[in-house]
Amino acid sequence: MKTIDLFTIGFTKTTAKDFFTRLKKSGATKIIDVRLNNVSQLAGFAKQDDLRYFAKEICDVDYVHNVDLAPTKAMLDDYKKHKGSWDDYEKKFRKLISDRKIEQIPYASMDKACLLCSEDTADHCHRRIVSEYLKEKWQNQVDVNIINL
């Protein structure tokens, strides 16, 4: 069975130097931005146009924004602004990506891709949910090696 590497990375609580060093060393070939809002001010280097430029120039990595892999604004607000539980958020988000049928993304297009979101670690971030969901759905076709950078 073929194996693909699927990376995840967050950009808060890190410097641009550390972020791009981890990305470059990983061997990733593409960033898939899974944020709903990709013009965040949380880190200047992570705004859409800047990130596209830096990723290509520093790491020779392509950039795409895929909102089908992002939660809805209502989900984010319930969890972050209204202090909802992580378990409820995760259940709602898993249902959303199931309804969106994200497993129809060709797995070959995800080999060496890096899911990007703002959270510094993957444990409470939807990029982890996306990567684990795809691994589960594709398990009979390909072995997905998830690497959290």
Side-chain angles (χ1 to χ4, degrees):
M1 184 178 294
K2 180 172 173 45
T3 299
I4 65 168
D5 290 331
L6 180 58
F7 303 98
T8 80
I9 195 168
F11 61 80
T12 57
K13 299 183 183 177
T14 191
T15 63
K17 179 180 178 182
D18 182 55
F19 175 88
F20 289 109
T21 298
R22 285 185 286 146
L23 186 62
K24 190 170 189 171
K25 284 183 179 179
S26 74
T29 59
K30 171 174 48 178
I31 290 174
I32 302 175
D33 192 334
V34 298
R35 295 176 289 169
L36 186 61
N37 177 10
N38 65 351
V39 291
S40 170
Q41 293 293 331
L42 292 174
F45 67 85
K47 288 170 31 183
Q48 176 186 3
D49 293 337
D50 294 336
L51 184 56
R52 176 180 284 114
Y53 173 79
F54 291 135
K56 193 64 169 172
E57 290 300 312
I58 297 169
C59 304
D60 195 27
V61 170
D62 294 326
Y63 170 91
V64 294
H65 185 218
N66 188 336
V67 294
D68 286 340
L69 305 179
T72 64
K73 183 177 183 330
M75 281 181 187
L76 285 172
D77 287 349
D78 283 348
Y79 176 61
K80 294 191 176 208
K81 291 181 180 176
H82 305 298
K83 309 284 189 219
S85 79
W86 173 256
D87 289 340
D88 287 344
Y89 174 81
E90 186 166 356
K91 285 176 190 162
K92 288 176 187 174
F93 184 66
R94 283 185 67 85
K95 180 173 181 342
L96 177 68
I97 59 178
S98 175
D99 291 348
R100 289 177 175 169
K101 299 184 183 333
I102 68 165
E103 66 272 15
Q104 293 178 354
I105 297 169
Y107 62 79
S109 72
M110 299 296 275
D111 190 19
K112 304 264 188 259
C114 185
L115 304 178
L116 170 124
C117 197
S118 60
E119 300 296 331
D120 60 327
T121 63
D123 56 340
H124 282 96
C125 183
H126 72 280
R127 69 181 188 266
R128 176 188 56 81
I129 301 168
V130 168
S131 62
E132 290 174 356
Y133 178 87
L134 291 174
K135 180 176 180 143
E136 291 166 19
K137 291 296 182 178
W138 292 340
Q139 68 183 339
N140 294 324
Q141 301 166 311
V142 66
D143 182 29
V144 180
N145 182 30
I146 301 169
I147 304 150
N148 297 304
L149 302 177

